[in-house]
PDB file of all heavy atoms in Angstrom:
ATOM      1  N   LEU A  22      -8.851 -15.551  10.158  1.00 98.00           N
ATOM      2  CA  LEU A  22      -7.980 -14.407  10.124  1.00 98.00           C
ATOM      3  C   LEU A  22      -8.513 -13.375  11.119  1.00 98.00           C
ATOM      4  O   LEU A  22      -9.700 -13.262  11.373  1.00 98.00           O
ATOM      5  CB  LEU A  22      -7.957 -13.803   8.764  1.00 98.00           C
ATOM      6  CG  LEU A  22      -7.649 -14.737   7.591  1.00 98.00           C
ATOM      7  CD1 LEU A  22      -7.870 -14.129   6.213  1.00 98.00           C
ATOM      8  CD2 LEU A  22      -6.180 -15.231   7.693  1.00 98.00           C
ATOM      9  N   ILE A  24      -9.133  -9.724  11.453  1.00 98.00           N
ATOM     10  CA  ILE A  24      -9.292  -8.414  10.728  1.00 98.00           C
ATOM     11  C   ILE A  24     -10.269  -7.566  11.442  1.00 98.00           C
ATOM     12  O   ILE A  24     -11.377  -8.040  11.768  1.00 98.00           O
ATOM     13  CB  ILE A  24      -9.698  -8.692   9.246  1.00 98.00           C
ATOM     14  CG1 ILE A  24      -8.662  -9.585   8.546  1.00 98.00           C
ATOM     15  CG2 ILE A  24      -9.940  -7.460   8.511  1.00 98.00           C
ATOM     16  CD1 ILE A  24      -8.947  -9.943   7.089  1.00 98.00           C
ATOM     17  N   VAL A  29     -12.468 -13.744  11.169  1.00 98.00           N
ATOM     18  CA  VAL A  29     -13.232 -13.926   9.931  1.00 98.00           C
ATOM     19  C   VAL A  29     -12.611 -15.091   9.093  1.00 98.00           C
ATOM     20  O   VAL A  29     -11.399 -15.399   9.249  1.00 98.00           O
ATOM     21  CB  VAL A  29     -13.189 -12.609   9.064  1.00 98.00           C
ATOM     22  CG1 VAL A  29     -13.838 -11.478   9.825  1.00 98.00           C
ATOM     23  CG2 VAL A  29     -11.771 -12.194   8.665  1.00 98.00           C
ATOM     24  N   ASP A  30     -13.442 -15.629   8.253  1.00 98.00           N
ATOM     25  CA  ASP A  30     -12.913 -16.633   7.300  1.00 98.00           C
ATOM     26  C   ASP A  30     -12.100 -16.051   6.225  1.00 98.00           C
ATOM     27  O   ASP A  30     -12.384 -14.951   5.821  1.00 98.00           O
ATOM     28  CB  ASP A  30     -14.112 -17.439   6.703  1.00 98.00           C
ATOM     29  CG  ASP A  30     -14.849 -18.273   7.704  1.00 98.00           C
ATOM     30  OD1 ASP A  30     -14.187 -18.882   8.582  1.00 98.00           O
ATOM     31  OD2 ASP A  30     -16.095 -18.305   7.619  1.00 98.00           O
ATOM     32  N   SER A  31     -11.121 -16.793   5.677  1.00 98.00           N
ATOM     33  CA  SER A  31     -10.415 -16.281   4.544  1.00 98.00           C
ATOM     34  C   SER A  31     -11.329 -16.448   3.371  1.00 98.00           C
ATOM     35  O   SER A  31     -12.206 -17.320   3.314  1.00 98.00           O
ATOM     36  CB  SER A  31      -9.115 -17.038   4.380  1.00 98.00           C
ATOM     37  OG  SER A  31      -9.332 -18.222   3.802  1.00 98.00           O
ATOM     38  N   ASN A  32     -11.130 -15.589   2.336  1.00 96.00           N
ATOM     39  CA  ASN A  32     -12.022 -15.641   1.171  1.00 96.00           C
ATOM     40  C   ASN A  32     -11.928 -16.971   0.480  1.00 96.00           C
ATOM     41  O   ASN A  32     -12.958 -17.466  -0.013  1.00 96.00           O
ATOM     42  CB  ASN A  32     -11.609 -14.480   0.265  1.00 96.00           C
ATOM     43  CG  ASN A  32     -12.757 -13.971  -0.427  1.00 96.00           C
ATOM     44  OD1 ASN A  32     -13.714 -13.478   0.148  1.00 96.00           O
ATOM     45  ND2 ASN A  32     -12.681 -14.002  -1.738  1.00 96.00           N
ATOM     46  N   SER A  33     -10.741 -17.528   0.376  1.00 88.00           N
ATOM     47  CA  SER A  33     -10.512 -18.796  -0.398  1.00 88.00           C
ATOM     48  C   SER A  33     -10.882 -19.975   0.370  1.00 88.00           C
ATOM     49  O   SER A  33     -11.077 -21.029  -0.157  1.00 88.00           O
ATOM     50  CB  SER A  33      -9.089 -18.850  -0.794  1.00 88.00           C
ATOM     51  OG  SER A  33      -8.250 -19.116   0.371  1.00 88.00           O
ATOM     52  N   SER A  34     -10.949 -19.869   1.739  1.00 91.00           N
ATOM     53  CA  SER A  34     -11.210 -20.998   2.616  1.00 91.00           C
ATOM     54  C   SER A  34     -10.023 -22.029   2.559  1.00 91.00           C
ATOM     55  O   SER A  34     -10.117 -23.114   3.060  1.00 91.00           O
ATOM     56  CB  SER A  34     -12.462 -21.785   2.291  1.00 91.00           C
ATOM     57  OG  SER A  34     -13.536 -20.915   2.287  1.00 91.00           O
ATOM     58  N   GLN A  53      -5.156 -19.433   4.966  1.00 98.00           N
ATOM     59  CA  GLN A  53      -4.223 -18.904   4.055  1.00 98.00           C
ATOM     60  C   GLN A  53      -4.846 -17.619   3.474  1.00 98.00           C
ATOM     61  O   GLN A  53      -5.778 -17.667   2.716  1.00 98.00           O
ATOM     62  CB  GLN A  53      -3.985 -19.956   2.934  1.00 98.00           C
ATOM     63  CG  GLN A  53      -3.390 -19.390   1.644  1.00 98.00           C
ATOM     64  CD  GLN A  53      -1.826 -19.320   1.663  1.00 98.00           C
ATOM     65  OE1 GLN A  53      -1.144 -20.090   2.434  1.00 98.00           O
ATOM     66  NE2 GLN A  53      -1.293 -18.519   0.846  1.00 98.00           N
ATOM     67  N   ALA A  54      -4.310 -16.506   3.864  1.00 98.00           N
ATOM     68  CA  ALA A  54      -4.864 -15.203   3.451  1.00 98.00           C
ATOM     69  C   ALA A  54      -4.492 -14.983   1.906  1.00 98.00           C
ATOM     70  O   ALA A  54      -3.327 -15.061   1.600  1.00 98.00           O
ATOM     71  CB  ALA A  54      -4.372 -14.081   4.311  1.00 98.00           C
ATOM     72  N   GLY A  55      -5.467 -14.698   1.149  1.00 98.00           N
ATOM     73  CA  GLY A  55      -5.207 -14.450  -0.273  1.00 98.00           C
ATOM     74  C   GLY A  55      -5.410 -12.981  -0.613  1.00 98.00           C
ATOM     75  O   GLY A  55      -5.488 -12.100   0.302  1.00 98.00           O
ATOM     76  N   GLU A  56      -5.449 -12.622  -1.890  1.00 98.00           N
ATOM     77  CA  GLU A  56      -5.394 -11.197  -2.247  1.00 98.00           C
ATOM     78  C   GLU A  56      -6.566 -10.414  -1.695  1.00 98.00           C
ATOM     79  O   GLU A  56      -6.373  -9.360  -1.198  1.00 98.00           O
ATOM     80  CB  GLU A  56      -5.438 -11.148  -3.832  1.00 98.00           C
ATOM     81  CG  GLU A  56      -5.177  -9.760  -4.286  1.00 98.00           C
ATOM     82  CD  GLU A  56      -4.852  -9.675  -5.794  1.00 98.00           C
ATOM     83  OE1 GLU A  56      -4.891 -10.770  -6.438  1.00 98.00           O
ATOM     84  OE2 GLU A  56      -4.621  -8.554  -6.335  1.00 98.00           O
ATOM     85  N   GLU A  57      -7.771 -11.031  -1.775  1.00 98.00           N
ATOM     86  CA  GLU A  57      -8.932 -10.262  -1.228  1.00 98.00           C
ATOM     87  C   GLU A  57      -8.833 -10.058   0.279  1.00 98.00           C
ATOM     88  O   GLU A  57      -9.180  -8.995   0.773  1.00 98.00           O
ATOM     89  CB  GLU A  57     -10.210 -10.955  -1.575  1.00 98.00           C
ATOM     90  CG  GLU A  57     -10.605 -10.780  -3.058  1.00 98.00           C
ATOM     91  CD  GLU A  57     -11.536 -11.745  -3.571  1.00 98.00           C
ATOM     92  OE1 GLU A  57     -12.418 -12.185  -2.802  1.00 98.00           O
ATOM     93  OE2 GLU A  57     -11.442 -12.042  -4.775  1.00 98.00           O
ATOM     94  N   ASP A  58      -8.243 -11.045   0.971  1.00 98.00           N
ATOM     95  CA  ASP A  58      -8.163 -10.878   2.478  1.00 98.00           C
ATOM     96  C   ASP A  58      -7.085  -9.786   2.724  1.00 98.00           C
ATOM     97  O   ASP A  58      -7.277  -8.969   3.663  1.00 98.00           O
ATOM     98  CB  ASP A  58      -7.652 -12.221   3.067  1.00 98.00           C
ATOM     99  CG  ASP A  58      -8.527 -13.385   2.712  1.00 98.00           C
ATOM    100  OD1 ASP A  58      -9.791 -13.232   2.965  1.00 98.00           O
ATOM    101  OD2 ASP A  58      -8.057 -14.355   2.195  1.00 98.00           O
ATOM    102  N   VAL A  59      -6.002  -9.793   1.988  1.00 98.00           N
ATOM    103  CA  VAL A  59      -4.985  -8.783   2.211  1.00 98.00           C
ATOM    104  C   VAL A  59      -5.568  -7.425   1.901  1.00 98.00           C
ATOM    105  O   VAL A  59      -5.372  -6.495   2.714  1.00 98.00           O
ATOM    106  CB  VAL A  59      -3.731  -9.076   1.306  1.00 98.00           C
ATOM    107  CG1 VAL A  59      -2.770  -7.905   1.253  1.00 98.00           C
ATOM    108  CG2 VAL A  59      -3.013 -10.341   1.812  1.00 98.00           C
ATOM    109  N   ASN A  60      -6.294  -7.254   0.767  1.00 98.00           N
ATOM    110  CA  ASN A  60      -6.854  -6.005   0.443  1.00 98.00           C
ATOM    111  C   ASN A  60      -7.833  -5.479   1.542  1.00 98.00           C
ATOM    112  O   ASN A  60      -7.833  -4.323   1.930  1.00 98.00           O
ATOM    113  CB  ASN A  60      -7.681  -6.000  -0.819  1.00 98.00           C
ATOM    114  CG  ASN A  60      -6.732  -6.105  -2.038  1.00 98.00           C
ATOM    115  OD1 ASN A  60      -5.583  -5.807  -1.934  1.00 98.00           O
ATOM    116  ND2 ASN A  60      -7.242  -6.576  -3.194  1.00 98.00           N
ATOM    117  N   ARG A  61      -8.540  -6.455   2.087  1.00 98.00           N
ATOM    118  CA  ARG A  61      -9.529  -6.109   3.185  1.00 98.00           C
ATOM    119  C   ARG A  61      -8.754  -5.606   4.386  1.00 98.00           C
ATOM    120  O   ARG A  61      -9.175  -4.603   5.047  1.00 98.00           O
ATOM    121  CB  ARG A  61     -10.346  -7.389   3.449  1.00 98.00           C
ATOM    122  CG  ARG A  61     -11.475  -7.193   4.369  1.00 98.00           C
ATOM    123  CD  ARG A  61     -12.318  -8.468   4.363  1.00 98.00           C
ATOM    124  NE  ARG A  61     -13.111  -8.659   5.519  1.00 98.00           N
ATOM    125  CZ  ARG A  61     -13.620  -9.818   5.850  1.00 98.00           C
ATOM    126  NH1 ARG A  61     -13.421 -10.867   5.157  1.00 98.00           N
ATOM    127  NH2 ARG A  61     -14.406  -9.837   6.909  1.00 98.00           N
ATOM    128  N   ALA A  62      -7.757  -6.317   4.780  1.00 98.00           N
ATOM    129  CA  ALA A  62      -7.013  -5.936   6.009  1.00 98.00           C
ATOM    130  C   ALA A  62      -6.305  -4.576   5.768  1.00 98.00           C
ATOM    131  O   ALA A  62      -6.295  -3.741   6.684  1.00 98.00           O
ATOM    132  CB  ALA A  62      -5.939  -7.007   6.338  1.00 98.00           C
ATOM    133  N   VAL A  63      -5.792  -4.338   4.567  1.00 99.00           N
ATOM    134  CA  VAL A  63      -5.072  -3.081   4.293  1.00 99.00           C
ATOM    135  C   VAL A  63      -6.092  -1.965   4.345  1.00 99.00           C
ATOM    136  O   VAL A  63      -5.793  -0.836   4.923  1.00 99.00           O
ATOM    137  CB  VAL A  63      -4.302  -3.165   2.911  1.00 99.00           C
ATOM    138  CG1 VAL A  63      -3.679  -1.773   2.621  1.00 99.00           C
ATOM    139  CG2 VAL A  63      -3.216  -4.252   2.984  1.00 99.00           C
ATOM    140  N   LEU A 219      -2.764 -11.747   9.785  1.00 98.00           N
ATOM    141  CA  LEU A 219      -3.067 -12.536   8.559  1.00 98.00           C
ATOM    142  C   LEU A 219      -2.108 -13.639   8.534  1.00 98.00           C
ATOM    143  O   LEU A 219      -0.890 -13.469   8.475  1.00 98.00           O
ATOM    144  CB  LEU A 219      -2.872 -11.647   7.321  1.00 98.00           C
ATOM    145  CG  LEU A 219      -3.812 -10.506   7.040  1.00 98.00           C
ATOM    146  CD1 LEU A 219      -3.448  -9.922   5.653  1.00 98.00           C
ATOM    147  CD2 LEU A 219      -5.271 -10.969   7.038  1.00 98.00           C
TER     148      LEU A 219
END
Side-chain angles (χ1 to χ4, degrees):
L22 304 170
I24 297 180
V29 298
D30 291 321
S31 75
N32 212 57
S33 69
S34 306
Q53 160 87 23
E56 189 166 4
E57 284 162 32
D58 305 307
V59 168
N60 287 341
R61 188 170 159 196
V63 175
L219 290 186

